Amino acid sequence: MTNHAALSAGHAAATLVFTGLLALVTGLIITGPALRRRYPVAWWLLVGFPVASVRVSRTWRPLMAGCGLAVSRKAALTVVSGLVGNGAPPPQPRVPRRGTVRPTAGGFWFVVRLLPGQIPQDFAKAAPAFAETWLVHAVRVTPWKPGFVRISASAADPLKEPRLPAARSSDRLLSVAVGVLETGARWVIDLRQIPHWLIVGATRSGKSTLINALVAGLAPQPVALVGIDCKGGMELSLYGPRLSALATNRTQAVTLLSALVSLTQERMAICRAAHVRNVWGLPEDKRPVPVVVIVHELAELFLIANRTEKDEAHAAGTALIRLAQLGAALGVFLIVAGQRVGSDLGPGVTALRAQLGGRVCHRVADPGTAEMAQGDLNPDSLKAAQAIRPDQAGTAVLASGDGWERARSHLIPEKDAESMAAAYAPLTPYLAELHDAASDFSSAKGAAATAVLERLDRDDA
């Protein structure tokens, strides 16, 4: 009687558990699409990732064999297995050992130990097959350390609809969240970490949108923004209230760049007198305001039609190169943008490119621009940059010496960037060294902004 009661209780508990699981699965099937749209990270961690990890475990061995990444046992072992095992099947081929599958906000990753004779490129070639087998958007393979590779998978395309961050500016000075990476992480441009950037892209590729995001993030910070727009100021004049100086033609640009070089020399003397190696070693109350120089359409600075223009182009290029060489330690940072960048513009472009450590390549009209932007840092990124379609505005490829990745900037309309610049116009610092460099900034505006710079210095202390 007791055993019968225990069996009945166990059956009832099993039925209850089964009913609960059935209800849970049914609820997820019904509400899954809505939950996935509203809470994508939670849905992925609770539902998507467990299913994906099981799929990886079940398909690992056949996938390695199908991609040619499994290594057969020695032929002698096959013969021995037939003699000793009385016709038993031969030993299974060796497959690379896989680490634990770990979740991310929108995918997963794990480390793989390479077999003797294998190299990371063998796994990189098989990445599309991995993505198809695991039913994910994309798979990236990168070297981890000697003998190991890191396999990262993205369940969906995070670049399709990047979400605006709650705050564009971060707590770190000169750091701005401008978009999202293909891994789902924030795309942050940190000028303290990588001081100078080259941004290339054809018309309507997203180049101006990225600059809008940068200006919107830097406008609330205690920094000076300086613009060089030799297309008559059509692009950068939108941010006029927040700019400390603006050059709208090459003659003004040469004057402004020369003033910036003089500014760096003065800061160099200050650092030398204080026995520090850069402005960040100075006391906060004596540290000069950082200057971010935005150059829109680099080709306009270097194109020449006569001897006079040749001298101006040479002077502008020389000044830019000097700023790139000295600016990082002295609080001057460069954002150089252009539709086309090539060695045919002059030797100064190649020398300048070598000083710009951050590279962003949107869709370009010619492969030479993509190669100029990224070929010297990471040749593997060229195919990804040239594969960006016209309907993927804002999508770009970031290259560095450590590797490359796809990203997309947040869509910030020009009106929003213009409003941000106007809203933070009272924070515009006045730099005496640049006062006469561009005609767009009168002495009245400079005098009114002097007190603002002093207030910023006190707040930053």
Side-chain angles (χ1 to χ4, degrees), residues 31-52:
T31 63
L35 291 175
R36 186 173 186 176
R37 286 193 301 269
R38 188 161 186 177
Y39 306 104
V41 176
W43 183 92
W44 167 251
L45 294 177
L46 294 176
V47 180
F49 171 70
V51 174

Side-chain angles (χ1 to χ4, degrees), residues 250-334:
R250 184 156 48 193
T251 301
Q252 288 185 359
V254 172
T255 304
L256 179 56
L257 289 170
S258 299
L260 286 167
V261 171
S262 299
L263 179 144
T264 59
Q265 292 174 344
E266 293 177 5
R267 294 184 174 186
M268 192 184 306
I270 294 173
C271 292
R272 184 170 60 250
H275 303 287
V276 296
R277 301 181 65 180
N278 53 57
V279 295
W280 310 110
L282 294 171
E284 292 187 355
D285 59 338
K286 298 186 180 299
R287 186 181 303 160
V289 62
V291 180
V292 180
V293 183
I294 303 174
V295 181
H296 199 283
E297 199 48 63
L298 179 65
E300 291 294 327
L301 278 177
F302 287 90
L303 289 175
I304 57 176
N306 51 54
R307 180 55 184 261
T308 303
E309 291 187 352
K310 182 178 180 180
D311 293 340
E312 285 186 342
H314 179 73
T318 301
L320 276 175
I321 294 171
R322 294 186 68 184
L323 289 176
Q325 291 175 336
L326 304 174
L330 301 171
V332 179
F333 308 91
L334 295 181

Side-chain angles (χ1 to χ4, degrees), residues 71-87:
V71 178
S72 299
R73 305 284 181 173
K74 294 182 179 179
L77 292 179
T78 303
V79 177
V80 172
S81 66
L83 296 175
V84 177
N86 194 20

